[in-house]
């Protein structure tokens, strides 16, 4: 997806996952969206041997790399990272 097409950068907590190894069990997802595509990824709160990284990173290095990635995306797109968890959900009938 070309940088100039990206029009939205967001994050949100995903659904409860019974099989997640983290105590929270709600994964944090990130999305880049254009009018035509969405790129979505999940931040791993705990690196395990089942899904190794290349190059190998410990959790602290992986978290630091991920924060740098988010900053790089903000710099390239000029868009803020919008936290969708804070968006109020309408209640009641319309």
């Amino acid at each position: 997806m070309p940088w100039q097409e990206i029009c939205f950068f967001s994050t949100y907590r995903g659904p409860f996952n019974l099989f997640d190894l983290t105590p929270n069990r709600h994964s944090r997802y990130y999305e880049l969206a254009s009018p035509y595509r969405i790129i979505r990824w999940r931040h791993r709160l705990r690196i395990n041997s089942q899904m190794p990284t290349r190059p190998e990173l410990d959790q602290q290095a992986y978290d630091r790399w991920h924060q740098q990635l988010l900053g790089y995306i903000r710099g390239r797109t000029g868009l803020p990272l919008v936290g969708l968890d804070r968006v109020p959900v309408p209640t009641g009938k319309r």
Side-chain angles (χ1 to χ4, degrees), residues 24-84:
N24 186 344
R25 299 192 190 255
H26 286 276
S27 297
R28 171 97 7 224
Y29 287 86
Y30 295 85
E31 289 186 358
L32 292 171
S34 79
Y36 313 105
R37 294 189 180 120
I38 295 175
I39 297 174
R40 178 181 302 124
W41 70 96
R42 182 176 67 133
H43 179 250
R44 294 190 321 198
L45 297 175
R46 177 181 283 169
I47 294 179
N48 61 42
S49 59
Q50 306 288 327
M51 297 178 69
T53 60
R54 289 203 176 37
E56 287 188 28
L57 300 172
D58 63 14
Q59 186 67 49
Q60 202 170 31
Y62 175 76
D63 292 341
R64 194 171 41 251
W65 171 83
H66 193 260
Q67 286 303 311
Q68 291 172 345
L69 173 64
L70 299 178
Y72 181 75
I73 292 169
R74 282 190 304 266
R76 287 299 303 252
T77 63
L79 297 170
L81 177 59
V82 177
L84 298 179

